[in-house]
Amino acid sequence: MHPADIKCALEKAGWTLRQLGIHHNLSPSALPRTLAVRWPRVQQIIADTLGLNPWDIWPSRYDNNGNPILLRRGRKRLEKNDSTDSRAKRQGEAR
C-alpha cells in the first residue's frame, strides 16, 4: 500500500497517525515514521486498526510465512584471529 493510502484508510477509521501513536503510549512521531522505516510492532498496530495483516500492507517487509524481514545494521564482525592479526600488524608498523 502507498503511504497516502494507509493514512487515508486510518482517517476513514477515525484516526490520524499521531492520535494512534499517542493512544498506544508511543511517541507522536512513531507511527508516521513507520511509513518509511521497518518497525514490526508499530506496523502491527496500524494493521490491527485497519483490520488487515501487516504483510498485506507492507508485502516487501515480510517473508512468505508472514514473519518480518529484519535488516541487519552495523559493522561487520571480525573473526577473532583477524582482529588480533591486524592489531599486531599495526603495532609492528609503529615500531
mmCIF file of all heavy atoms in Angstrom, residues 17 34 47 60 86 88 95:
data_model
loop_
_atom_site.group_PDB
_atom_site.id
_atom_site.type_symbol
_atom_site.label_atom_id
_atom_site.label_comp_id
_atom_site.label_asym_id
_atom_site.label_seq_id
_atom_site.Cartn_x
_atom_site.Cartn_y
_atom_site.Cartn_z
ATOM 1 N N LEU A 17 -2.325 9.244 12.309
ATOM 2 C CA LEU A 17 -1.145 8.511 12.769
ATOM 3 C C LEU A 17 -0.695 8.992 14.138
ATOM 4 O O LEU A 17 -0.352 8.205 15.010
ATOM 5 C CB LEU A 17 -0.015 8.639 11.749
ATOM 6 C CG LEU A 17 -0.217 7.877 10.436
ATOM 7 C CD1 LEU A 17 0.783 8.334 9.390
ATOM 8 C CD2 LEU A 17 -0.092 6.382 10.673
ATOM 9 N N THR A 34 6.899 4.944 10.721
ATOM 10 C CA THR A 34 6.738 3.569 10.252
ATOM 11 C C THR A 34 6.396 3.506 8.772
ATOM 12 O O THR A 34 6.612 2.490 8.127
ATOM 13 C CB THR A 34 5.635 2.863 11.071
ATOM 14 O OG1 THR A 34 6.011 2.930 12.437
ATOM 15 C CG2 THR A 34 5.490 1.424 10.680
ATOM 16 N N ALA A 47 -1.977 -2.184 11.267
ATOM 17 C CA ALA A 47 -2.734 -3.254 10.607
ATOM 18 C C ALA A 47 -3.967 -3.635 11.425
ATOM 19 O O ALA A 47 -5.057 -3.818 10.861
ATOM 20 C CB ALA A 47 -1.836 -4.461 10.390
ATOM 21 N N SER A 60 6.674 -6.119 1.071
ATOM 22 C CA SER A 60 8.133 -6.181 0.929
ATOM 23 C C SER A 60 8.841 -6.289 2.277
ATOM 24 O O SER A 60 10.026 -6.601 2.331
ATOM 25 C CB SER A 60 8.645 -4.946 0.191
ATOM 26 O OG SER A 60 8.386 -3.780 0.945
ATOM 27 N N SER A 86 45.441 -7.920 12.727
ATOM 28 C CA SER A 86 45.549 -6.530 12.296
ATOM 29 C C SER A 86 46.145 -5.671 13.401
ATOM 30 O O SER A 86 46.882 -4.736 13.135
ATOM 31 C CB SER A 86 44.182 -5.992 11.864
ATOM 32 O OG SER A 86 43.291 -6.009 12.945
ATOM 33 N N ALA A 88 48.350 -6.678 15.606
ATOM 34 C CA ALA A 88 49.784 -6.975 15.620
ATOM 35 C C ALA A 88 50.496 -6.277 14.468
ATOM 36 O O ALA A 88 51.593 -5.768 14.630
ATOM 37 C CB ALA A 88 49.993 -8.490 15.533
ATOM 38 N N ARG A 95 56.529 0.449 15.295
ATOM 39 C CA ARG A 95 57.878 0.308 15.865
ATOM 40 C C ARG A 95 58.946 0.720 14.914
ATOM 41 O O ARG A 95 58.988 0.874 13.832
ATOM 42 C CB ARG A 95 58.122 -1.138 16.280
ATOM 43 C CG ARG A 95 57.270 -1.494 17.438
ATOM 44 C CD ARG A 95 57.540 -2.900 17.865
ATOM 45 N NE ARG A 95 56.613 -3.240 18.907
ATOM 46 C CZ ARG A 95 56.462 -4.426 19.408
ATOM 47 N NH1 ARG A 95 57.185 -5.432 18.965
ATOM 48 N NH2 ARG A 95 55.620 -4.651 20.356
#
